[in-house]
Amino acid sequence: MMRVPKLIERMDFGLLSPDEIRKMSVTRIVTADTYDEDGYPIERGLMDPRLGVVDPGLRCRTCGARAGECPGHFGHVELARPVIHVGYIEVIYDCLRATCRKCGRISLPDSKLEEYLNQVAEMRKDGRKWWVVADEIVRSASSVEKCPHCGEKQQQLKFEKPTAFMEGKNRLTPSDVRERLERITDDDAMLLGINPEVARPEWMVLTALPVPPVTVRPSITLESGVRSEDDLTHKLVDIIRINQRLSENIEAGAPHLIVEDLWELLQYHVTTYFTNEVSGVPPARHRSGRILRTLAQRLKGKEGRFRGNLSGKRVDFSARTVISPDPCISINEIGVPEYVAKTLTIPVRVTAHNVEELRNFVRRGPDTHPGANTVISPDGKRYDLRYADREELAKTLEQGFIVERHLMDDDIVLFNRQPSLHRMSIMAHEVRVMPGRTFRLNLCVCPPYNADFDGDEMNLHAPQSEEAQAEAWILMRVQEQILSPRFGGPIIGGIQDHITGAYLLTRRDTLLTREQAQQLLAAAGLAVDLPKPAIKKDGTRYWTGKQIFSMLLPKGLNLAYKAKICENCVRCKKEECDIDAYVVIRDGQLLNGVMDARSYKALDRCEVLDRVAKDYGTTAAREFLDRVTRLSIAAATMFGFTTGIDDEDIPPEARERIDEILDEARDKVNKLIEIYNLGEMEPLPGRSLRETLEMRIMEVLAESRDNAGEIAEKYLGLDNHAVIMARIGARGSMLNLTQMAACVGQQSVRGERLSRGYKWRTLPHYKVGDLGAEARGFIGSSYKRGLKPLEFFFHAMGGREGLVDTAVRTAQSGYMQRRLINALQDLRVGYDGTVRDDRGGIVQFVYGEDGIDPARSDGGRAVNIEKIIERVTGFSGG
Amino acid sequence: MVEFDVRRHVLVPKHEVMPPEKAREILEKFRVSPHQLPLVKASDPVAKAIGAKLGDIVKITRDSLTAGKAIIYRYVTEG
C-alpha cells in the first residue's frame, strides 16, 4: 500500500488577505535588483536566497533542502498605494453597484435582504450553488436611486476599462474602492456571492503583493554566461521600481498629479503582471518587442499549464516519423528505422541466462545496432556507453546490473496515429528493424488507424517494464484487434489490390501451370506440396486458382454465402450461378464462387475472415490475412492488372443513345414547366405547386441520369478493369464509373437544384426565371468528355457544399465525441455483467441489456443457429 | 378534465413495486446499497400511479432492441 502522507478532507477556495500574504512571506522585497557585480543574489531583492534554491549544490536558506527538493518560498512587496486586482474587476464592479456609496449596505430593504439570506442558507445546506443568487441581487440593487438604509442618493457608477470606476465626473481611486468594499457587512458579502469565512470583498484590492519563489521563475544562464531572467521576474522588477518611486514621491510630498501618475503606472504593471491580455491595456513587452508571458498566459490555452502540462504531457521512449507501406511484413509487425532503434532503449536486468548476450550488447555500444546505450549498476550508478570503457564494463557486468539495450526485432511497441478516436488507434506491434527513415506498416492496418501514405506521420512508444510489455502483447497486439467492437466484424482486412488479386485468382477460368502455382504459393509463404492438378490437357497439368486459394483456408472451414458481385437474381441458381457469385467452402476447400469484398475486405461483411477469426482464433486469422494478401498481390502481379482513362471509353453509338436520353429528359422538363406555367399542374399532397414541379423535374433528371448510366454499363463489361474493381467492391463504384463515362447528373445545394446567384436565375447566361435543366445545374457531360464552362461552375457550387459539410461535420463530431468520452470514461463492466460508474452505482443491469460483446458474437447474437447449421451441413438455411 | 392513467400510454413500460422481501434479494444479488441503483423520484407520475413510496424499489420491464426484454430496478427517492 502506498503511504498517504496527508488526507484531503475539504477544500476551500477564497482570497489571500494582506495579512496572510505577509504571514506566508519569508522576506519583504524592497530592491528591484537581482544580482550584484559578483553574481551573488542581493538580499531583499527579487532573487533573495530565502526564496528558494534553483542552482544545484546550494542549500535553501529557509528550509535547508537542496535544489529540486525545496519547493520555494513566497516573498512579498508592500505596495505604497492599493491597487485593483484585474481578475476580480467584475466582482468589484458588482459589489460597488449593489451597495450604498455611504453606508455600504446593499441597496435593498431589510426585509428583502433577510429573505435572500434565508434562501442562501437553505441552498448552502443542500450543497447547491448559492452564489448564483448574487446575480439577481446585483441586478435589482444596482438600479436603486436612494439607499433604503441611510437615505443617501446613489450616483451612477460607470466601469471604465480596464481598471477604473467613474462616479459621475469623479474618478474613484483604488483607495476609495477599497474603503467602500471594507464597509460591506459579512451578511451582505454573502449575498454578493462572497463567503466572508474565506474572502473579504476588500481583499480584491491589493495592498501587499505576493512574490512567487524563484522556482516558479527560474533564470536561464546562456552559454555565454549571460543570465536571462524569466518574464515574471522582469514584470516584478517593473512593479518594485515603480512602487519605490511612488513611495519616495509620497514621502517627499510631491504634487498630487505626479503621485497620481505613478499610481496609475503601478496599477498598469500589476495588471499586466497578472494577465497581459486585457483589452484596453497595451501588452507589456520585452526590450526586444516580444510580448511578455505573464501569470494568466502561463495557465491559459492549449499550451498552458492545464491543457499542455497536466492533462497532456510529453513522454520519453517515443519516436515519430513518416509512415510508408510494406506488404511483406506481418500485420503484427512494424518496420522501425535503425536510427530510431538505436535511440529508443529497453532496460534488461542481467541474469545468469542473458549475461553473455548483454555483454555483447555492451561491447557493441551505442553506435552499432544491436547494442546498448547505458548500463546501470546495482548501486544505481549510470554508465553512458558513449564515454565508458565498454570492454571493461562488459567484463564487470554481472547479475543485478541493468542494461539499456537498443530496440530489437520482436520487441513490443505501441503504435499510434492521431486523432485517437477509438481503441484501435493505438495498437501493439512487434518491431522489425529496417534500413531507411520511415516506419513501415502492413496495408491491412491502414483502416483502423485511418492512415494513408501521403505524408502521414505516426508515433511509437516503447513500454519499459516487462509487465507493460506483456499487457500490451496480450491486450493490444494488432491480431487481437481484428474484430472491431463497433460492429462485430473485421476492421483489419484486405484492401484494394488484395481483393482484386483474390478475384482474379479465384475466377472460374483461371488455370495455372505448375510454375505459376508454385510461384504463388511461395509468395504466400507456403512450403507445401501441390494438390492433385484439376485439369490435364495435352500432357500439361493445370491447377485452378480456387485450388491454390484453398490451401490458405483452415481445414474444416464450412461456409456458403453470396458474393458481392451477386446480382440478386429472382431465382438463385446457387452453384450453377452464371457469374460464380455463390460461394461454397467445404472442409477448407473453395468449391464454388469467387473471392471478393465479401470474403476478407476490411470494414465489410467479410464472411471468410470473420469466420476464421471467430472459429480458429486470432493467430489463425492473422496468419490467414498475412498469407492471403501476399498471395493476392502476387496473383495480381502475375496476371497483370491496370486501369486507365480508356477504361471509361464508350463507343460512339452509346454516346449517341445517351445524348438522345438526355435530350428527351430536357424536353420532358420543358413540358413540365409548360404545364406548370399554364397552371395545369396537380400538386402532390402537402406540397406547393412550385415544390411539386421541382420534385417532378428532379425525378425526371435523376431517371435520365440512371438510364444514361445503364447504357454506359452495358458497354463496360467485366473485361474492363475499372468495372472489375467496382463490381467486386475493391475500389470505386459503378456510379463513379458512369459519371466518368456517361453523364455527371444534377448538381445540388441543400438537396435542391441550384437556384441562387443572380435575381431569379443562377447565372446571367440564362433568362430570368428559367427553370430548365441546364439553367439549374444539370450536367449532361461526362467527366471523361469534359464539362462545359457553365457546367464546371455549377459543379464547383455542388463541390463546395461537400467540402464545407465535411469540415463542419468533423468539428462537430469531434466535440461530441469529446463530451461523450468525458461522460463515459469511468464506466466499466463488472464481473457480474453490470455496467457501473466509479462509485459502484449501477448504470446498466446487464451490459447492453443483453450482455453481449459485439466483437465476440455473431451478428450481434450470442448464438447464431443458422451459422452453426451451415457450418455443420455446409448448406445455408436461406 | 378526464384523469389519464399514465400506465396506459404506449411509451410507458411496465412498473411494479417490489415487495420488501424481493427488494432485499435484489440488493443482495447486485451487492449494492439502494443509492447505487438508478433512481426514480417519488413524484414521478408512474411511481405515483403504482403507489411507490420513498425507499421502495421499482421493477421496470421494458422492451429492448438488443435483448427483447430488459429488467431495470430503480430506487424511489425524495423529490
Side-chain angles (χ1 to χ4, degrees):
Chain A
M1 263 298 275
M2 221 176 84
R3 203 174 57 92
V4 184
K6 269 175 193 166
L7 252 171
I8 296 170
E9 184 186 285
R10 198 166 71 109
M11 220 191 260
D12 277 325
F13 288 95
L15 298 175
L16 279 179
S17 72
D19 283 341
E20 254 173 301
I21 291 172
R22 283 174 202 125
K23 217 157 51 189
M24 70 180 193
S25 160
V26 289
T27 176
R28 187 179 158 189
I29 310 291
V30 281
T31 46
D33 306 312
T34 48
Y35 297 95
D36 59 22
E37 297 87 39
D38 307 325
Y40 287 105
I42 292 167
E43 294 234 348
R44 316 204 95 192
L46 270 172
M47 289 294 170
D48 191 292
R50 281 167 294 187
L51 295 178
V53 278
V54 272
D55 312 277
L58 294 174
R59 278 185 182 274
C60 173
R61 284 262 297 271
T62 305
C63 65
R66 284 177 206 284
E69 288 156 17
C70 165
H73 313 276
F74 273 89
H76 81 284
V77 175
E78 289 291 343
L79 297 175
R81 284 280 162 93
V83 158
I84 285 172
H85 189 313
V86 259
Y88 299 108
I89 193 77
E90 261 157 41
V91 190
I92 294 174
Y93 184 40
D94 282 349
C95 289
L96 293 180
R97 268 192 306 173
T99 53
C100 169
R101 58 187 301 259
K102 190 170 159 227
C103 71
R105 297 297 314 276
I106 295 181
S107 316
L108 290 175
D110 277 323
S111 55
K112 262 273 173 70
L113 293 179
E114 189 92 11
E115 213 172 281
Y116 278 124
L117 217 50
N118 287 335
Q119 197 185 334
V120 164
E122 191 72 20
M123 289 170 97
R124 272 190 79 179
K125 216 179 70 202
D126 297 351
R128 284 164 50 207
K129 295 180 184 169
W130 55 272
W131 51 92
V132 292
V133 181
D135 287 343
E136 197 186 313
I137 295 170
V138 170
R139 213 177 311 125
S140 48
S142 58
S143 50
V144 173
E145 281 179 20
K146 215 171 118 200
C147 174
H149 303 281
C150 64
E152 174 78 15
K153 207 169 158 284
Q154 300 301 308
Q155 287 189 22
Q156 208 27 264
L157 195 71
K158 247 178 73 197
F159 167 45
E160 263 189 9
K161 280 195 169 172
T163 51
F165 294 102
M166 300 290 287
E167 196 179 52
K169 276 189 188 136
N170 286 336
R171 194 189 156 112
L172 294 182
T173 64
S175 298
D176 301 335
V177 173
R178 197 177 148 91
E179 256 166 54
R180 288 198 187 183
L181 293 176
E182 273 166 8
R183 280 201 292 266
I184 298 175
T185 64
D186 277 1
D187 278 353
D188 282 359
M190 205 72 191
L191 296 182
L192 292 168
I194 297 163
N195 180 2
E197 285 162 32
V198 290
R200 277 289 313 169
E202 67 267 22
W203 297 346
M204 294 185 288
V205 181
L206 303 163
T207 52
L209 183 75
V211 174
V214 280
T215 40
V216 172
R217 40 186 180 89
S219 53
I220 312 157
T221 316
L222 297 173
E223 276 170 55
S224 53
V226 181
R227 263 180 192 272
S228 172
E229 298 297 340
D230 190 272
D231 282 2
L232 277 190
T233 311
H234 279 301
K235 209 60 235 174
L236 285 166
V237 167
D238 292 339
I239 291 172
I240 293 164
R241 203 165 276 152
I242 299 305
N243 192 44
Q244 214 166 17
R245 264 176 61 197
L246 181 58
S247 58
E248 277 163 13
N249 273 294
I250 293 168
E251 260 165 55
H256 209 59
L257 220 69
I258 292 176
V259 173
E260 210 100 292
D261 274 358
L262 281 170
W263 194 354
E264 209 162 296
L265 197 55
L266 182 66
Q267 174 73 59
Y268 165 80
H269 283 309
V270 173
T271 301
T272 50
Y273 168 70
F274 285 121
T275 166
N276 209 355
E277 278 169 5
V278 210
S279 63
V281 178
R285 285 165 194 278
H286 195 251
R287 255 170 310 191
S288 61
R290 181 177 59 87
I291 292 172
L292 290 173
R293 208 171 127 85
T294 49
L295 283 173
Q297 278 69 52
R298 280 194 178 194
L299 310 177
K300 246 198 218 157
K302 198 168 170 192
E303 268 157 35
R305 205 88 322 143
F306 293 103
R307 281 229 267 159
N309 301 112
L310 291 163
S311 302
K313 293 181 167 69
R314 295 188 165 261
V315 293
D316 276 347
F317 307 106
S318 62
R320 179 185 173 95
T321 181
V322 177
I323 51 167
S324 47
D326 188 340
C328 297
I329 61 172
S330 164
I331 54 167
N332 266 348
E333 292 178 316
I334 180 207
V336 176
E338 202 185 296
Y339 177 79
V340 170
K342 284 195 292 197
T343 312
L344 297 181
T345 58
I346 304 268
V348 182
R349 189 166 288 273
V350 180
T351 64
H353 309 285
N354 64 11
V355 232
E356 270 320 308
E357 195 191 6
L358 290 177
R359 278 196 180 129
N360 285 330
F361 287 152
V362 173
R363 281 192 194 104
R364 278 193 292 268
D367 298 320
T368 340
H369 172 53
N373 285 356
T374 31
V375 169
I376 303 163
S377 64
D379 57 6
K381 239 175 131 185
R382 294 180 71 95
Y383 298 93
D384 190 332
L385 294 185
R386 277 175 301 181
Y387 312 114
D389 180 351
R390 298 205 290 269
E391 193 53 47
E392 184 62 29
L393 209 58
K395 270 185 205 142
T396 56
L397 207 64
E398 54 182 274
Q399 283 177 47
F401 276 68
I402 293 170
V403 177
E404 291 190 328
R405 55 142 245 256
H406 289 159
L407 205 62
M408 279 168 44
D409 284 3
D410 298 327
D411 277 334
I412 287 288
V413 292
L414 304 186
F415 203 42
N416 161 239
R417 180 180 177 274
Q418 284 111 347
S420 313
L421 295 174
H422 54 190
R423 71 177 204 208
M424 288 80 73
S425 290
I426 306 179
M427 294 192 283
H429 289 249
E430 287 159 11
V431 169
R432 278 268 293 259
V433 180
M434 291 179 167
R437 322 186 127 262
T438 57
F439 288 136
R440 251 57 61 80
L441 55 114
N442 187 290
L443 290 130
C444 294
V445 294
C446 287
Y449 289 123
N450 192 19
D452 50 39
F453 306 105
D454 59 4
D456 289 25
E457 288 183 63
M458 284 179 71
N459 312 316
L460 181 139
H461 300 267
Q464 298 286 296
S465 72
E466 279 85 358
E467 192 187 7
Q469 287 166 22
E471 196 167 291
W473 195 82
I474 291 166
L475 299 171
M476 302 174 73
R477 208 150 50 115
V478 176
Q479 69 175 58
E480 309 299 332
Q481 310 293 333
I482 291 176
L483 297 174
S484 166
R486 197 167 76 206
F487 49 87
I491 193 174
I492 295 167
I495 49 169
Q496 309 190 3
D497 287 8
H498 302 151
I499 311 300
T500 313
Y503 172 76
L504 297 177
L505 182 67
T506 55
R507 272 198 303 200
R508 259 181 198 154
D509 49 359
T510 307
L511 287 179
L512 303 159
T513 63
R514 201 183 127 88
E515 286 71 28
Q516 286 178 312
Q518 283 183 330
Q519 197 188 329
L520 288 179
L521 285 182
L526 278 183
V528 290
D529 293 334
L530 279 171
K532 268 170 82 179
I535 293 167
K536 246 183 218 170
K537 214 163 70 184
D538 312 325
T540 5
R541 296 176 299 170
Y542 292 99
W543 283 262
T544 63
K546 286 193 175 74
Q547 275 185 299
I548 304 301
F549 187 87
S550 298
M551 301 187 69
L552 301 182
L553 295 170
K555 260 186 98 55
L557 180 73
N558 287 316
L559 259 180
Y561 66 90
K562 286 173 184 163
K564 182 100 175 180
I565 53 168
C566 175
E567 285 168 342
N568 295 316
C569 313
V570 185
R571 214 177 59 78
C572 184
K573 287 199 263 183
K574 304 236 158 154
E575 277 87 345
E576 268 80 58
C577 182
D578 297 326
I579 51 169
D580 209 11
Y582 190 74
V583 183
V584 176
I585 296 171
R586 204 163 305 162
D587 194 20
Q589 290 298 311
L590 176 60
L591 302 180
N592 236 305
V594 291
M595 293 289 103
D596 58 14
R598 282 273 179 282
S599 62
Y600 62 89
K601 191 192 174 195
L603 296 165
D604 208 313
R605 264 181 47 212
C606 38
E607 309 269 353
V608 181
L609 180 60
D610 194 51
R611 218 45 293 130
V612 173
K614 278 168 185 162
D615 293 350
Y616 296 85
T618 50
T619 307
R622 186 251 301 157
E623 244 165 53
F624 172 71
L625 202 52
D626 282 343
R627 295 231 153 96
V628 91
T629 50
R630 283 199 293 244
L631 175 72
S632 291
I633 291 165
T637 321
M638 179 176 288
F639 303 132
F641 192 84
T642 175
T643 182
I645 197 162
D646 54 351
D647 273 344
E648 282 79 47
D649 273 342
I650 48 170
E653 68 261 29
R655 188 69 244 175
E656 275 163 33
R657 293 256 335 259
I658 289 166
D659 287 340
E660 261 168 51
I661 285 174
L662 295 180
D663 283 338
E664 269 169 42
R666 267 172 222 135
D667 289 345
K668 257 195 216 165
V669 169
N670 290 337
K671 229 167 262 161
L672 281 172
I673 295 168
E674 212 172 295
I675 295 172
Y676 169 77
N677 286 338
L678 289 172
E680 286 167 12
M681 181 156 277
E682 282 291 320
L684 289 167
R687 302 279 168 176
S688 71
L689 269 179
R690 190 56 214 279
E691 282 168 345
T692 310
L693 175 69
E694 279 298 314
M695 285 176 72
R696 299 281 297 277
I697 293 175
M698 296 270 276
E699 236 166 70
V700 169
L701 291 177
E703 197 193 324
S704 75
R705 205 217 71 85
D706 290 344
N707 290 338
E710 257 167 55
I711 290 166
E713 276 182 56
K714 265 187 208 133
Y715 291 93
L716 303 171
L718 266 178
D719 52 344
N720 183 311
H721 286 177
V723 175
I724 288 180
M725 288 194 289
R727 279 276 156 76
I728 64 174
R731 192 78 226 235
S733 64
M734 284 316 287
L735 180 72
N736 292 154
L737 292 180
T738 53
Q739 282 197 323
M740 287 190 273
C743 160
V744 175
Q746 179 67 47
Q747 297 300 304
S748 69
V749 167
R750 292 187 183 166
E752 285 171 0
R753 295 202 297 160
L754 305 178
S755 61
R756 309 209 310 161
Y758 292 82
K759 197 174 173 187
W760 311 125
R761 51 183 171 171
T762 47
L763 284 172
H765 307 71
Y766 301 105
K767 284 202 178 108
V768 167
D770 189 350
L771 293 173
E774 265 84 20
R776 290 295 161 99
F778 183 77
I779 301 183
S781 313
S782 66
Y783 284 126
K784 169 90 197 302
R785 193 167 65 172
L787 272 50
K788 300 183 184 95
L790 296 181
E791 290 178 334
F792 186 86
F793 182 82
F794 292 136
H795 186 256
M797 286 175 74
R800 161 80 66 91
E801 193 195 27
L803 288 181
V804 171
D805 269 11
T806 33
V808 171
R809 227 182 6 248
T810 44
Q812 275 180 351
S813 63
Y815 183 46
M816 250 202 278
Q817 167 141 7
R818 217 181 112 90
R819 296 200 307 194
L820 246 170
I821 289 172
N822 269 333
L824 302 180
Q825 60 182 356
D826 293 318
L827 302 192
R828 64 177 199 146
V829 183
Y831 285 110
D832 61 353
T834 56
V835 180
R836 296 177 186 234
D837 61 21
D838 44 354
R839 287 193 188 87
I842 293 179
V843 177
Q844 279 183 353
F845 284 87
V846 181
Y847 170 71
E849 295 185 339
D850 58 0
I852 286 169
D853 174 0
R856 283 159 211 276
S857 69
D858 234 346
R861 281 166 294 180
V863 197
N864 188 337
I865 294 170
E866 274 166 43
K867 275 273 156 64
I868 291 172
I869 294 170
E870 188 183 308
R871 196 163 74 217
V872 176
T873 63
F875 294 101
S876 70
Chain B
M1 207 183 89
V2 190
E3 189 68 31
F4 175 73
D5 186 353
V6 279
R7 284 176 291 178
R8 279 172 50 217
H9 193 277
V10 275
L11 294 178
V12 176
K14 189 173 147 204
H15 285 60
E16 302 159 85
V17 180
M18 300 296 285
E21 183 63 22
K22 280 271 179 69
R24 212 169 321 114
E25 267 173 42
I26 286 153
L27 293 181
E28 218 138 284
K29 181 182 166 199
F30 291 105
R31 291 173 181 276
V32 286
S33 66
H35 279 283
Q36 288 175 315
L37 291 177
L39 308 175
V40 59
K41 284 184 176 177
S43 60
D44 184 279
V46 190
K48 277 199 282 191
I50 60 168
K53 290 178 301 295
L54 224 64
D56 278 349
I57 288 176
V58 177
K59 176 183 177 181
I60 304 164
T61 314
R62 58 182 177 216
D63 296 337
S64 158
L65 226 62
T66 50
K69 278 231 148 39
I71 295 169
I72 282 97
Y73 301 98
R74 285 180 182 273
Y75 179 64
V76 184
T77 57
E78 213 178 325

